[in-house]
Amino acid sequence: VLVRAPEKAVQEKGAQEKGAQEKGAQEKGTAPQLAGLAAAADAACGGALTRAMAAADFTGKAGSSCVVLAPGAGLRRVVLIGVGNREQGGGHSLRDMEAAGGAAAAALLRDEEAALATDGMPASHAAHAGLGAMLRSYRFGLYRTKEPADQAPRLKRLVVLTDDVAAAEAAWPAARAIAHGAALARDMITEPPNVLTPAVMAERCLALRELGVEVEVLEPSALQDWGALMGVSQGSANEPRVVVMQWRGGAEGEKPVCFVGKGVTFDTGGISIKPAAGMGDMKYDMAGAGAVIGAMAALAGRKAKANVVGLVGLTENMPSGTAMRPGDVVRSLSGQTIEVLNTDAEGRLVLADVLWYAQDRFAPRCTIDLATLTGAIIVSLGHEHAGLFCNDEALAGQVLAAGKATGEGVWRMPLGEAYDKLIRSDIADMKNIGGRPGGAIIGAQFIQRFVRGPWAHLDIAGMAWATKDTATTPKGATAYGVRLLDQFVADHHEAGRAPGRETGREPGREMGG
Ligand code: BES
Ligand code: MN
Ligand code: ZN
């Protein structure tokens, strides 16, 4: 059950002083009052929940929870989840509801069936609590053959109780589609690189056809002019693929939005090989592609009223006798030549060709690429924000707003002529590296040379993988970008509001034009 903090406890919390807060919990009148279904459950258990809250000093603070075992009335486990006070800022945000749903799922993992009471809250809150629960209970169990039964999660069904069933049922399919898209992305990103080769990843994209997405796989024979991408892949025994996924939910003939993802299924660095420590992390160097695929699944799953094309460049980056050498010059699909001075700066080579192709073929309204492009962006922004590089103020505002609305952090980074100069080559049109300082910007600057029209680049190297659990994400692949891209489409490329879809736009504050 979701428990609101009482007025008083929140005021004390506002004092930002731990002592005061703990004292506040003991003060008369600050204990959270159970209402609705929670009160009914409490009464059925003879007040066991109220007693447990007092014994645990539970105040209902957002993010807090209190587990009550066998309280009576035949209940196995009751979890009280604090959602703070709705007087704070005029209502719980949908993010708070997702966190609460996530906390519920985490606490109830060992129960086969559970119910989550959201009565007294709007239907959208019920849907987002369900979304949070689904996101948090994601698990990748494919390769576990001997997990002890007393440790395996058992939760099969979580029923969300709500006052307005019809409205909640209308809101749910969109939320569920997002959860499915995120799970699809996480599945791919988590797969080991021996399993998820470019060909296998492309094959898995075909599953989107069931959702009504048109999926085309470009084989190496169709990629002969893609010199930058082929340069990266030439050292690998696993051939590259490019996948084009079209969702036509918008008006016939309306120009699409393009999403482009870096899909390096394993990045050894190539001949400019990476150090051994941590190299295994580079299985998630296809997380940008994973996010694009997951977003396409989410958009199709909720029948978004927009035309969207997702393109992913899938390749391995391996050292071998056929691998690209530092010093090689390749000719990109655009015709521009690139001196490859570091084979580990491969993501930009892949994106150069896929971006060029996307713009050439689809003349998109705008293009957003996602890539685990640089370690430098992790130095800049840590694991809280992806770096946003953008050549269009309106688009930048929209991407930032989508990040805010979904809780997927985005921070704008600069582009500029002075950085572009750093990738001038003595013998080709450009080189693929430009020195350590401003490394993420240089990567973006390189990509910009293959861009026409409004474009945003998200460097997600610090966001694709989490080393600890958060409210709605178990540690591991985060599927960062799936929700942001979906929200971006919902807010800016769907004519009206799709039914049952929450908008992230704040009323009266339109971003960009
Ligand atoms: N895939 C890496 C970037 C990366 C690092 C992703 C850490 C996720 C976590 C990328 O291909 C790479 O190797 N970049 C180089 C660029 C450099 C050679 C200019 C880097 O960041 O060191
Ligand atoms: Mn690399
Ligand atoms: Zn890489």
Side-chain angles (χ1 to χ4, degrees):
V1 291
L2 304 185
V3 181
R4 291 202 185 101
E7 219 60 22
K8 193 136 184 262
V10 169
Q11 282 159 12
E12 306 245 327
K13 188 178 147 217
Q16 291 283 322
E17 206 210 292
K18 209 165 173 253
Q21 206 183 87
E22 280 162 5
K23 202 169 111 243
Q26 283 146 24
E27 264 170 32
K28 248 179 84 184
T30 59
Q33 301 291 308
L34 299 178
L37 287 166
D42 191 35
C45 300
L49 304 185
T50 299
R51 289 195 298 278
M53 289 195 297
D57 290 341
F58 178 73
T59 61
K61 197 177 87 176
S64 67
S65 64
C66 175
V67 179
V68 192
L69 295 173
L75 292 166
R76 181 179 139 94
R77 192 191 315 259
V78 172
V79 184
L80 305 161
I81 295 165
V83 290
N85 193 295
R86 70 170 150 184
E87 300 310 316
Q88 274 175 308
H92 304 298
S93 74
L94 297 175
R95 266 8 8 104
D96 293 339
M97 287 304 112
E98 289 158 13
L108 296 165
L109 226 50
R110 296 282 300 154
D111 299 276
E112 277 197 17
E113 281 204 54
L116 176 63
T118 69
D119 54 314
M121 294 175 175
S124 58
H125 285 46
H128 279 260
L131 171 59
M134 275 189 83
L135 290 171
R136 178 61 189 268
S137 50
Y138 172 81
R139 202 152 179 277
F140 187 88
L142 263 188
Y143 303 110
R144 286 177 203 274
T145 64
K146 35 183 155 195
E147 184 167 41
D150 61 349
Q151 278 165 36
R154 288 200 286 232
L155 187 61
K156 291 206 177 70
R157 214 163 98 92
L158 180 69
V159 179
V160 179
L161 306 171
T162 171
D163 297 326
D164 191 344
V165 175
E169 278 180 347
W172 178 237
R176 186 183 48 201
I178 291 168
H180 282 162
L184 177 68
R186 285 174 179 173
D187 281 346
M188 289 190 183
I189 297 165
T190 311
E191 280 285 8
N194 61 325
V195 172
L196 200 82
T197 58
V200 170
M201 193 168 167
E203 181 87 21
R204 288 205 185 177
C205 291
L206 298 179
L208 296 190
R209 284 177 178 163
E210 283 156 36
L211 298 169
V213 179
E214 254 169 68
V215 185
E216 263 168 82
V217 177
L218 308 188
E219 311 246 337
S221 57
L223 302 174
Q224 291 313 306
D225 293 337
W226 304 47
L229 181 144
M230 289 306 279
V232 175
S233 91
Q234 76 188 36
S236 172
N238 295 308
E239 292 182 326
R241 297 285 189 274
V242 170
V243 184
V244 183
M245 294 159 281
Q246 299 189 60
W247 169 250
R248 301 178 204 261
E252 176 93 36
E254 189 170 79
K255 297 247 172 294
V257 169
C258 274
F259 298 146
V260 172
K262 167 180 173 181
V264 174
T265 59
F266 194 71
D267 180 14
T268 64
I271 295 296
S272 311
I273 198 163
K274 289 179 180 296
M279 198 198 276
D281 287 350
M282 285 301 110
K283 74 170 183 179
Y284 71 75
D285 210 18
M286 36 57 73
V292 168
I293 296 162
M296 294 307 293
L299 290 165
R302 70 173 181 79
K303 302 194 166 46
K305 295 185 171 61
N307 294 335
V308 184
V309 184
L311 301 101
V312 293
L314 310 178
T315 175
E316 241 183 355
N317 187 23
M318 298 290 275
S320 77
T322 62
M324 201 161 52
R325 293 149 287 251
D328 282 3
V329 172
V330 297
R331 181 180 301 274
S332 69
L333 184 62
S334 74
Q336 300 177 88
T337 56
I338 304 160
E339 186 183 13
V340 179
L341 290 178
N342 188 322
T343 63
D344 198 12
E346 86 296 343
R348 61 200 71 184
L349 298 173
V350 174
L351 288 175
D353 280 347
V354 183
L355 276 167
W356 186 266
Y357 179 80
Q359 296 165 113
D360 205 42
R361 175 166 169 194
F362 296 106
R365 303 160 96 179
C366 63
T367 304
I368 302 178
D369 79 71
L370 287 87
T372 46
L373 202 74
T374 68
I377 200 65
I378 310 178
V379 176
S380 304
L381 300 175
H383 303 287
E384 303 304 325
H385 298 90
L388 167 66
F389 301 84
C390 190
N391 64 0
D392 182 280
E393 294 309 303
L395 178 60
Q398 293 168 357
V399 174
L400 287 166
K404 268 250 152 59
T406 56
E408 295 191 328
V410 181
W411 198 264
R412 182 116 184 236
M413 299 283 287
L415 289 164
E417 175 69 26
Y419 299 106
D420 185 74
K421 282 186 184 158
L422 302 174
I423 53 170
R424 288 181 183 167
S425 159
D426 292 334
I427 64 163
D429 296 335
M430 70 197 85
K431 55 186 182 182
N432 76 331
I433 50 169
R436 265 168 68 86
I441 309 172
I442 291 169
Q445 211 68 58
F446 180 95
I447 297 167
Q448 193 177 13
R449 290 204 181 197
F450 300 85
V451 159
R452 295 151 299 168
W455 154 79
H457 157 61
L458 285 167
D459 191 337
I460 64 168
M463 303 303 288
W465 196 266
T467 52
K468 41 185 193 300
D469 294 345
T470 64
T472 51
T473 314
K475 72 177 180 183
T478 62
Y480 178 97
V482 170
R483 301 191 56 191
L484 184 148
L485 293 177
D486 172 74
Q487 189 80 44
F488 169 80
V489 171
D491 286 349
H492 301 289
H493 296 281
E494 292 187 69
R497 260 174 72 177
R501 187 75 181 77
E502 285 296 315
T503 175
R505 225 181 309 178
E506 291 165 44
R509 238 189 87 227
E510 176 73 62
M511 308 290 300

